[in-house]
């Protein structure tokens, strides 16, 4: 058995447990935990059974299993970047709204200064 066949399942278990703890602490949604758990289970299966990726690749019309894994990882990364971009965009809007509200509440007129 190759070294990555042992290391990736261990990393997968740690990652799934970490996401479960984040869910229990209400820092992660259940959908996110489920999606990441599915991802890490697939990673473990591909590490333990390398030929398993070939079956998935043929299912999606891709010739090699490694190509399928690379496309899968790329899709997960793009999804993660998209989610982060949306979160940052929402935070920027929230900060702008908050700054406007604080500025209006703390407005000082020239008459009050004299």
């Amino acid at each position: 058995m190759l070294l990555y066949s042992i290391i990736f399942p261990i990393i997968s278990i740690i990652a799934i447990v970490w996401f479960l703890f984040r869910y229990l602490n209400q820092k992660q949604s259940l959908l996110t935990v489920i999606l990441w758990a599915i991802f890490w289970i697939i990673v473990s299966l591909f590490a333990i059974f390398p030929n398993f990726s070939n079956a998935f690749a043929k299912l999606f019309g891709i010739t090699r299993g490694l190509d399928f894994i690379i496309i899968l990882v790329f899709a997960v990364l793009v999804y993660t970047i998209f989610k982060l971009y949306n979160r940052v965009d929402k935070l920027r809007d929230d900060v702008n709204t908050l700054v406007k509200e604080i500025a209006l509440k703390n407005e000082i007129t020239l008459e009050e200064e004299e």
Side-chain angles (χ1 to χ4, degrees), residues 4-5 8 11 13 16 18 24 28 35 46 55 58 60 67 72-73 75 83 86 103-104 114:
Y4 71 87
S5 297
F8 277 111
I11 292 172
I13 292 169
I16 291 170
W18 182 71
L24 294 175
Q28 208 78 49
L35 289 175
F46 288 162
K58 289 179 183 174
F60 290 101
D67 293 342
L72 181 67
V73 168
K83 291 270 293 184
N86 284 338
L104 289 173
E114 293 175 3

Side-chain angles (χ1 to χ4, degrees), residues 46 50 52-58 60-76:
F46 288 162
F52 191 58
S53 63
N54 289 333
F56 267 101
K58 289 179 183 174
F60 290 101
I62 301 170
T63 55
R64 295 186 316 160
L66 182 60
D67 293 342
F68 174 72
I69 292 171
I70 291 171
I71 291 170
L72 181 67
V73 168
F74 182 73
V76 169

